[in-house]
Amino acid sequence: MLLIRCPYCEEERPELEFRNAGEAHVARSANMVGESDDDFEKFFFIRSNPKGIIYERWRHMHGCARFFNAVRDTVTDKFVMTYRAGEPKPSKLPKNSNEGLAK
Amino acid sequence: MSGALRIPGAGRLSQAKTARFSFDGQSYAGIEGDTLASALLANGVHLVGRSFKYHRPRGILSAGAEEPNALVQIVRDDARKTPNVRATVQELYDGLAANSQNRWPSLSFDVGAVNDLASPLFSAGFYYKTFMWPKAAWKSLYEPKIREAAGLGVSPDRPDPDHYSSRYAHCDVLVLGGGAAGIAAALAAAETGVRVILADEQAEFGGSLRFESGAKIDGKDGFAWAQAAIARLGAMDNVRVLPRTTAFGYYAQNFVGLVERVSDHLKAPGHDLPRERLWQVRAKRVVLASGAIERHMVFANNDRPGVMLAAAARTFLNHYGVAVGKNVGIYTANDSAYGAAIDLKKAGVNVAAIVDLRDNPTGPVIDEARALGIEINSGRAVIRAGGKLRVSSMTVQPKNGGGERTIPVDAILMSAGWTPSVHLFSQSRGKVAFNDETKRFVPGTYAQDCVSVGACNGTDGLAATVDEAYAAGARAAKDAGAKAAKGVKPKVDASESWSRGMLGAAPGAGPDTTVKAFVDFQNDVTAKDIRQAVHEGMRSIEHVKRFTTNGMATDQGKTSNMHGLAIAAETLGKPIPEVGLTTFRAPYTPVTFGAIVSHARGPLFDPTRRTAIHPWAEAQGAVFEDVGQWKRAWYFPQAGEDMHAAVDRECVGVRNQAGLFDASTLGKIEVVGPDAAKFMELLYTNPWEKLEPGRCRYGIMLREDGFIYDDGVVGRLAPDRFHVTTTTGGAPRVMNHMEDYLQTEFPHLNVWLTSITEQWAVIAVQGPKSRDIIAPLVEGIDMSDEALPHMSVREGKICGVPTRLFRMSFTGERGFEVNVPADYGQAVWEVLWAEGQKHGATAYGTEAMHVLRAEKGYIIVGQDTDGTVTPNDAGLDWAVGKKKADFVGIRGMARPDLVAKGRKQLVGLKTKDPKVVLEEGAQIVEDPKQAIPMKMIGHVTSSYWSQNCGRSIALALVAGGRDRMGDTLYVPMPDGVIEVEVAGMVFFDETGGRLNG
Amino acid sequence: MAKAAAKTAATASPSAERRPALAGRTVSATGVKVEVLPPALRISLRAPEASVAALSKALGVTLPKQPKTSASKAGRTALWLGPDEWLVIDEAGKDPLANCAKVSALHSSVGISHRNIAISVTGPAAEAAINSGCPQDLSLEAFPVGAASRTILGKAEIVLLRTADEAFRVECWRSFSDYVFTFLSEGARDAAG
């Protein structure tokens, strides 16, 4: 069971309290009706599914109930960092030491 | 008393405490503190089981968790028959009953042993090659027969009567392994005051100090020092000491699974004691002190009962006071077996000879053995063990060939060297590194916050081990945030040291031989099998492992992996690290399902949710159905009624008089804030801004893809407050869906969501008499049609308690849904029921509710829709706000395929024979005479007998359904084709007049 | 339908009896006692930062702003559940819903007195009993007196409040209370062993 740092509770909490909510930074258009079929396809169906660093949404479902964003390495399953919903995608990631897990 | 081979004065058990036990029905006496293995050996019993594949007689190899051979069935009673228990781990209690496994008719005469004679047929990869043809025979013949023949013990066929518990625990330093290293590390960490957990799989701490007679620490015998240290640790508030506790899995972020065997060693476990306790420990730092495991020598017939590991024999002697034979031979490739020879000799056991593969071994233990008069044959190999049910001799030959000499023995104690236990380290995703000099894999690159100390780290010698472990324990505590330590490092006064050894087959079992020299005892894999795998093209150790099953038994190759690897490497002509080690996986030793499940059985398997009105329904004899975690009253049978009759009566009763229905499980969400209406506009297809307070509307919620996600009636209580209802099953996900949009897409809106599902008990009162029943009980609400029209909501009081009273209907009748605070639910229901009796009201369940709504063509999301149905498909276009600029699903709904012609649309179906009730899920075709596979144009989603209509009714999704009104379609069933006519969805009261009737 | 019957009944209505879930249930084991607490008044309070002062004043208890904390005064406790969410529990019989109704500052206050059930777990083994199914670190360092958190117990969601070194209040939804009580009872039995 992973430990996940909730950026609202400001501490690491057991994974059982959380729920994954898919890829992050997929913005919903302010003009949905005007979206082309292609754009809607990209928005709704296409996900990056990378091997390595992924930006994803989690919800502290059974904690503070907030949605937030996390950077995770899909190869090692390690969380690199977490940040609040609405904050921009981090331009630089903290150096991930061998044992440093989202500290 | 407790066995002829018990040596007076030897061992640490109190002779006074006799424990009687039986093995295969024969009674024996042991001593409390014995393991089943030591007690059997004390009675001279070596033959304890038959091997997995060849049914060869097997004895006791080890004295610990690595045991591959001595697997027995422990029988407490009919429901407690535990198979595959390692006799070396099972502690003796008075009355213990054990049986051998995998033999018929008896352990000493086993018919299955013909497999041994036929062994040339059963070589590596045998299953894959032999049972290929005819293909069909695999399922019907080969697999069932193989499965019957395979496996060792017999599973109990009754539910497990024991209970198991679980505990989450957190600590700063978790020390795994309670030998000298683990204890030293735990002491260092504990003295700083941080939280420490120390676990060891044995009943007593000490690890190798149990047999190392030459160890002295702090002036004490090693084992005595260990006990004193454990007593000290156990008395500290910040330390938890867990004996009989195996760390079976090392998971992410220092999360370690441990199983504590709480009562398997007790004669009569108290009712309150769990059998096992699962510990899920999160540690800031982990110290791995898991020790090392001795390897056997790989030579012909090395599996004969009486052939065992040297350190095991020493443990049986020094700890349990048991001599494993009267005339033992030693076969070794390193120093450690000398300790066994010396201790046994001193205890009065004859040591026939030491056979040492090394050419000219030198050192203090060799000198001591020689001084005791033990014959040492160096540069020689044991090429064969004699005897069948018990070893009777060892045949010795110079390792490069030459004359054979057979020495009579009743036990052979062997040691090929020690393998560091890197299992947990490997599970932590650490990478092992091969030390070419010492020929062993040791921890290399760490992946987690842990450290290995002592033998599992390849550290030799007690002094070095204690130094390393004490420093590591202190460091781990410091890293976990401890202040300076104030302890004193234990001082090692005397110790033993043994390293090196050999890997692979010994002389006499080399590539040119066909002897049965076992590498993996539990899976019956020989050196020859491994070579054959390589010859047949397996190159990777992962393939060799799977082809031969080496290391794949429940012992996970604790004694066999390194030998297997070395033989494969030799055959491939590659160095060992290039061939690589297979991955160690959890669990380290077998874990019961009971421990994993722990509390989640019976009533705690899953929460069973009951409404406030449940006790009333139960008292009325209602039959319940599961709806998610809820129990809902399904129907209320009266005397002599079956379900059909009860549902017919309930349906008619509601339409003719009135019915009461417990609707409490419906999801309810209070949406509050100045932007509440704006939020509702975005989450539902309907317009909400203009809905007046006090009025209700049926709302449809879509996913972004344009498909129906949920529905429900929404009441506006105030300009800034909505009372939203959802489906019962959809409540949690709808709440999550709404929160998701509110928090991440529309965070600018000033609105908040609160689940009120369980705040309110909901009593639906439906039917022409519904108002007559409710009205006398209500205060502060005008119940007239003018003041309270269909689809409106008022707050007031009923039976003296607050209510949110909805005028709404899911039956097509005049109806109300009475919301009262949950604790009042049953009392209000009872008053309404009593009032209802004056008007002939009936209680109805979910089945009648389904029929009544289907008569009116009201859909159930999840039954009539399946996640691919749009509002238009469901005939609900009227509920989509045409002027709205945005709502979730607005764009998805407009996708080309979702507006294309010929989509499946929800319609009614009437069978031509009104008595025939269609099956839900049945497929619909246009032409029943077409060839199979027929073109299916839709399926039945809801189907019931409607007593009110006097015929069957059904709803179905049919391609282009609304253009087929009046058409005849066909439902092919196994026993014939059913003719149906496409109809509208409303079967009863098409004009809807009864809503105000 | 007769018009008279449709009108509001003027006669006094019978008053319905309150039947709390699990009322009076209690289990004792060595070192730990699990018991259902009497009904209390509760609201789920949601508000932005700017409204906190006004709401605190109206409620008579300072809404905590630190995660995993609570504040208590005169029988009323406010638990921080999220950055804009508090559970307010009143055991003194004063309805916090009424207090909040008078506040004009932006907020949402929803009555949930009947939604939740409270179970107290007390005694030296209380921590162990709860840790039978709750994965949080409940040591006094990590979860001191006054600490409050929504979390998990087995397969149910709970709100946990530490009221003393050896006392916790466990709140859960009404229909989960049987499961939660049974789970805690089993945990208590094991913690005692």
Side-chain angles (χ1 to χ4, degrees), chain B residues 352-618:
Chain B
I354 294 175
V355 180
D356 193 330
L357 205 53
R358 297 173 296 180
D359 282 326
N360 283 303
T362 55
V365 285
I366 288 115
D367 296 342
E368 191 182 352
R370 204 166 270 135
L372 284 167
I374 301 172
E375 176 192 331
I376 300 173
N377 298 279
S378 61
R380 283 177 162 70
V382 173
I383 57 164
R384 185 183 324 118
K388 187 154 189 200
L389 299 180
R390 171 81 184 265
V391 65
S392 60
S393 66
M394 59 181 187
T395 299
V396 183
Q397 190 184 39
K399 67 181 181 188
N400 297 320
E404 294 181 9
R405 173 186 160 210
T406 297
I407 304 170
V409 292
D410 61 1
I412 299 175
L413 315 181
M414 55 188 170
S415 176
W418 294 78
T419 306
S421 288
V422 294
H423 307 75
L424 290 169
F425 169 78
S426 179
Q427 285 180 23
S428 81
R429 294 191 178 183
K431 295 247 183 309
V432 292
F434 190 70
N435 182 319
D436 207 42
E437 199 192 331
T438 58
K439 300 276 181 246
R440 56 194 179 186
F441 283 101
V442 292
T445 313
Y446 283 84
Q448 297 204 37
D449 289 336
C450 64
V451 60
S452 300
V453 296
C456 74
N457 195 35
T459 303
D460 297 313
L462 189 56
T465 288
V466 168
D467 277 0
E468 176 181 74
Y470 193 82
R475 175 67 202 266
K478 186 164 176 273
D479 290 347
K483 306 216 168 62
K486 45 182 184 242
V488 182
K489 186 172 76 181
K491 186 170 166 292
V492 175
D493 305 312
S495 75
E496 300 180 6
S497 179
W498 17 266
S499 62
R500 308 301 166 91
M502 61 107 48
L503 294 170
D512 49 342
T513 65
T514 57
V515 298
K516 277 208 188 80
F518 285 92
V519 173
D520 181 327
F521 293 107
Q522 204 182 345
N523 266 355
D524 271 351
V525 180
T526 64
K528 177 179 145 275
D529 291 330
I530 306 231
R531 292 187 198 106
Q532 187 195 335
V534 173
H535 292 319
E536 292 196 11
M538 310 302 139
R539 291 292 176 268
S540 154
I541 193 66
E542 296 288 351
H543 292 155
V544 172
K545 166 182 162 178
R546 283 160 182 79
F547 193 70
T548 62
T549 69
N550 190 60
M552 287 173 71
T554 56
D555 72 333
Q556 291 213 25
K558 290 184 180 64
T559 49
S560 66
N561 276 340
M562 288 306 294
H563 282 319
L565 175 58
I567 295 166
E570 185 195 15
T571 315
L572 283 162
K574 283 184 179 174
I576 284 173
E578 274 184 40
V579 181
L581 192 61
T582 56
T583 312
F584 293 105
R585 297 180 203 285
Y588 173 71
T589 49
V591 177
T592 61
F593 284 112
I596 292 168
V597 169
S598 67
H599 296 293
R601 296 173 62 182
L604 294 182
F605 171 68
D606 203 36
T608 301
R609 304 175 69 182
R610 294 180 184 85
T611 72
I613 298 155
H614 186 98
W616 185 90
E618 205 166 27

Side-chain angles (χ1 to χ4, degrees), chain A residues 1 37 59 67 98-99, chain B residues 282 446 449 736 743 891:
Chain A
M1 181 170 59
D37 283 342
R59 185 178 183 203
F67 283 84
N98 212 11
E99 65 261 57
Chain B
R282 179 80 66 180
Y446 283 84
D449 289 336
N736 188 61
Q743 289 183 35
R891 180 60 187 83

Side-chain angles (χ1 to χ4, degrees), chain B residues 735 754-760 822-823, chain C residues 18 42-44 81 85 87 110-117 150 157 159 171-176:
Chain B
M735 184 74 179
T754 305
S755 173
I756 49 166
T757 301
E758 302 230 28
Q759 168 67 15
W760 301 99
D823 283 354
Chain C
R18 183 167 188 173
R42 297 176 184 85
I43 57 166
S44 168
L81 293 189
E85 181 179 1
L87 169 62
V110 174
I112 50 164
S113 304
H114 291 242
R115 186 186 78 175
N116 287 16
I117 299 292
R150 191 155 40 203
E157 183 179 284
V159 170
E171 293 240 334
C172 66
W173 286 7
R174 196 179 198 281
S175 73
F176 289 95

Side-chain angles (χ1 to χ4, degrees), chain B residues 273-347:
Chain B
L273 279 186
R275 181 175 170 223
E276 294 179 329
R277 184 180 289 123
L278 174 71
W279 289 88
Q280 298 180 79
V281 181
R282 179 80 66 180
K284 286 192 186 136
R285 293 290 182 278
V286 174
V287 177
L288 297 168
S290 42
I293 292 171
E294 196 169 26
R295 291 188 302 277
H296 57 281
M297 297 294 287
V298 179
F299 63 100
N301 296 342
N302 61 345
D303 63 328
R304 290 306 184 208
V307 182
M308 62 166 51
L309 297 171
R314 221 178 158 196
T315 306
F316 289 122
L317 177 70
N318 292 342
H319 192 75
Y320 300 102
V322 173
V324 298
K326 292 175 177 164
N327 178 38
V328 305
I330 310 281
Y331 183 24
T332 187
N334 78 112
D335 280 359
S336 75
Y338 282 82
I342 291 163
D343 287 352
L344 281 161
K345 179 80 181 174
K346 285 180 177 168

Side-chain angles (χ1 to χ4, degrees), chain B residues 820-842:
Chain B
V820 291
D823 283 354
Y824 295 117
Q826 194 181 337
V828 172
W829 173 287
E830 284 166 2
V831 175
L832 284 167
W833 176 251
E835 194 66 28
Q837 292 313 288
K838 301 174 192 164
H839 303 277
T842 180

Side-chain angles (χ1 to χ4, degrees), chain B residues 792-876:
Chain B
S792 51
V793 57
R794 294 288 180 277
E795 292 180 272
K797 282 194 164 183
I798 188 164
C799 305
V801 304
T803 182
R804 287 179 179 175
L805 181 67
F806 284 73
R807 168 100 191 258
M808 56 183 279
S809 175
F810 199 44
T811 57
E813 302 297 320
R814 167 188 294 280
F816 301 88
E817 289 196 358
V818 180
N819 287 250
V820 291
D823 283 354
Y824 295 117
Q826 194 181 337
V828 172
W829 173 287
E830 284 166 2
V831 175
L832 284 167
W833 176 251
E835 194 66 28
Q837 292 313 288
K838 301 174 192 164
H839 303 277
T842 180
Y844 67 103
T846 49
E847 188 64 20
M849 177 270 280
H850 276 93
V851 177
L852 292 164
R853 65 88 203 176
E855 288 171 352
K856 294 295 300 174
Y858 300 150
I859 67 161
I860 298 233
V861 170
Q863 174 166 345
D864 301 300
T865 71
D866 59 6
T868 68
V869 176
T870 67
N872 183 279
D873 296 341
L876 296 169

